[in-house]
Amino acid sequence: AAPLRGFRLRRAGSAQKFGVAAGSLRGLLRKGCRLLQLPLAGSRLCLYEDGTELTEGFFRTLPPQTELVLLGAGESWQGCVSDVERFLAAFYSRRDAIVEAAQKLLSDEQAPRRQKLLADLIHNLRENIPAEDREEDSKWFEGLESRFKNKSSYMRYSCESRIRSYMKEVSNFISNVHPTARDAYKRIIDLMLDKLKSVKYNGCYFDRREEEAVRLCTTEGWFSCQGPFDRDDCPCKHSINPYSNKESRILFSTWNLDHIIEKKRTVVPELAEAVKTRDGREVNWEYFYQLLFTVDNLKLVHIACHKKTNHNLSCDKTKIYRKRKQTHKIS
């Protein structure tokens, strides 16, 4: 028989833990059911941490004193997240009372640090994330034109505005283009503009109603910082939900859609150069379009992760011109 090992057992939703020793999963289940007065039929054990259900093989790999949850027939456990969820649900169910108490404390509070903690608490509890229409959350729309009837349409517009401003910079650069290449440059601008219009200036990036593949946020509207241009992630785990309240909506405008290969320093000058030195070749304008206006080369970053230094990255030389189609001579 396998040596006995001790485990800590609890029921789902209970904070009380019991020490139980057993040499097999079956033995542990039997003892647990007897101790916690649960029918053996249909009962099972899973990890407290993440809800993984135990098999005999998995049980043998567990270190002693692992925390486990005993489930009866039909019960489920999603892991200790469930505990966090329950805590937050209880907290939120008394939200109004907490806001009122915090406001009372804040009115007499002098210390800036404590003022900030209380103000942040009130601010976060006052979020109205699910509301979409103006009637449901009029405070969110304060200071915005009346033509915006819902949050998503405004967020869409704010993303479009950023993309339009990039297009404007590309257009304005024409004065720096070599005079002999200006017509060709203008033709490329028109092609880019048509493509942007057809995709509604990629406003989908900020619209939480869009499909997951094209938006940069969750269905609730949470955005996560994608980190500086030279990192794969955000070291500070910045996140924000501009759909939650007016302050967050305004703060979100300081987040940047940062060009990894820089727009001003690199992409636009390289496009102008490509047009000038094309020498009969066809400029691959769609490659430049992707660099300027799409998430192929744009990262959403918190202002603290937006590095203003020179990125020192250049365009892919093999993509600047279209490949010529091979014409096979018939002998």
Side-chain angles (χ1 to χ4, degrees):
L4 297 182
R5 286 179 302 147
F7 295 93
R8 284 179 295 167
L9 232 60
R10 62 163 88 193
R11 290 279 282 121
S14 165
Q16 200 175 8
K17 288 178 268 193
F18 300 90
V20 183
S24 69
L25 177 61
R26 188 86 195 132
L28 185 61
L29 204 50
R30 251 202 316 274
K31 284 184 179 176
C33 285
R34 209 168 34 237
L35 181 69
L36 299 169
Q37 298 173 344
L38 203 68
L40 188 60
S43 66
R44 57 212 193 285
L45 284 161
C46 65
L47 290 182
Y48 167 70
E49 198 172 328
D50 63 5
T52 307
E53 210 165 303
L54 267 55
T55 60
E56 198 65 62
F58 184 36
F59 170 78
R60 285 196 288 271
T61 68
L62 293 179
Q65 300 308 317
T66 299
E67 277 197 48
L68 303 170
V69 176
L70 178 63
L71 298 172
E75 291 181 335
S76 66
W77 178 256
Q78 307 302 314
C80 52
V81 196
S82 315
D83 272 4
V84 175
E85 287 296 338
R86 226 183 350 269
F87 164 73
L88 289 175
F91 191 65
Y92 268 88
S93 66
R94 306 202 43 222
R95 181 161 69 175
D96 294 344
I98 295 168
V99 167
E100 207 178 316
Q103 276 174 325
K104 276 204 188 96
L105 290 169
L106 184 59
S107 62
D108 297 328
E109 186 52 68
Q110 294 305 315
R113 182 163 167 258
R114 294 206 296 247
Q115 277 180 347
K116 174 155 171 51
L117 283 171
L118 288 166
D120 283 354
L121 176 67
I122 294 165
H123 168 79
N124 287 326
L125 285 174
R126 280 226 165 124
E127 289 177 344
N128 193 354
I129 292 171
E132 179 63 29
D133 299 334
R134 200 179 260 270
E135 300 78 65
E136 298 174 280
D137 191 356
S138 56
K139 263 188 121 46
W140 192 92
F141 290 87
E142 278 176 10
L144 298 182
E145 292 171 42
S146 58
R147 66 189 169 105
F148 299 112
K149 302 291 181 246
N150 56 53
K151 293 179 181 179
S152 297
S153 66
Y154 174 76
M155 291 305 298
R156 220 188 152 83
Y157 162 79
S158 78
C159 186
E160 284 175 25
S161 302
R162 296 182 189 215
I163 303 291
R164 282 174 195 271
S165 73
Y166 303 159
M167 187 67 232
K168 210 175 161 87
E169 281 183 63
V170 181
S171 302
N172 291 345
F173 196 79
I174 199 157
S175 56
N176 303 314
V177 176
H178 194 273
T180 59
R182 278 182 196 165
D183 285 349
Y185 187 85
K186 176 81 174 72
R187 278 197 295 278
I188 286 175
I189 289 176
D190 292 341
L191 289 167
M192 285 182 172
L193 207 47
D194 285 345
K195 193 170 165 79
L196 276 177
K197 284 176 185 165
S198 74
V199 294
K200 303 193 169 85
Y201 291 88
N202 286 330
C204 55
Y205 292 159
F206 290 179
D207 187 342
R208 65 178 177 181
R209 299 167 305 183
E210 280 286 356
E211 293 159 33
E212 192 176 354
V214 297
R215 56 178 152 83
L216 291 174
C217 59
T218 67
T219 43
E220 289 87 30
W222 285 98
F223 291 84
S224 297
C225 172
Q226 295 172 324
F229 77 92
D230 52 359
R231 283 193 55 145
D232 288 337
D233 59 352
C234 167
C236 303
K237 301 278 179 267
H238 295 123
S239 69
I240 191 169
N241 191 333
Y243 288 85
S244 62
N245 48 38
K246 180 184 165 186
E247 286 87 345
S248 298
R249 162 173 72 73
I250 294 167
L251 261 180
F252 185 66
S253 62
T254 66
W255 283 49
N256 227 287
L257 272 174
D258 188 28
H259 289 82
I260 303 167
I261 301 172
E262 294 164 285
K263 171 179 84 266
K264 263 198 186 104
R265 280 196 182 111
T266 309
V267 184
V268 180
E270 289 234 18
L271 172 61
E273 185 60 22
V275 176
K276 183 182 129 194
T277 58
R278 68 191 188 284
D279 190 25
R281 293 172 292 181
E282 194 188 341
V283 175
N284 183 8
W285 67 269
E286 281 179 310
Y287 169 61
F288 288 99
Y289 170 91
Q290 282 177 317
L291 294 182
L292 289 163
F293 309 115
T294 76
V295 287
D296 287 1
N297 187 48
L298 287 171
K299 279 183 114 176
L300 181 69
V301 294
H302 182 281
I303 192 164
C305 283
H306 184 210
K307 295 184 178 174
K308 298 278 198 186
T309 53
N310 196 327
H311 294 190
N312 289 320
L313 296 167
S314 50
C315 301
D316 183 342
K317 297 281 182 263
T318 66
K319 292 180 178 170
I320 287 176
Y321 297 103
R322 282 197 199 283
K323 300 265 187 291
R324 288 239 174 99
K325 292 194 171 62
Q326 295 293 314
T327 50
H328 298 288
K329 286 183 181 154
I330 301 162
S331 53

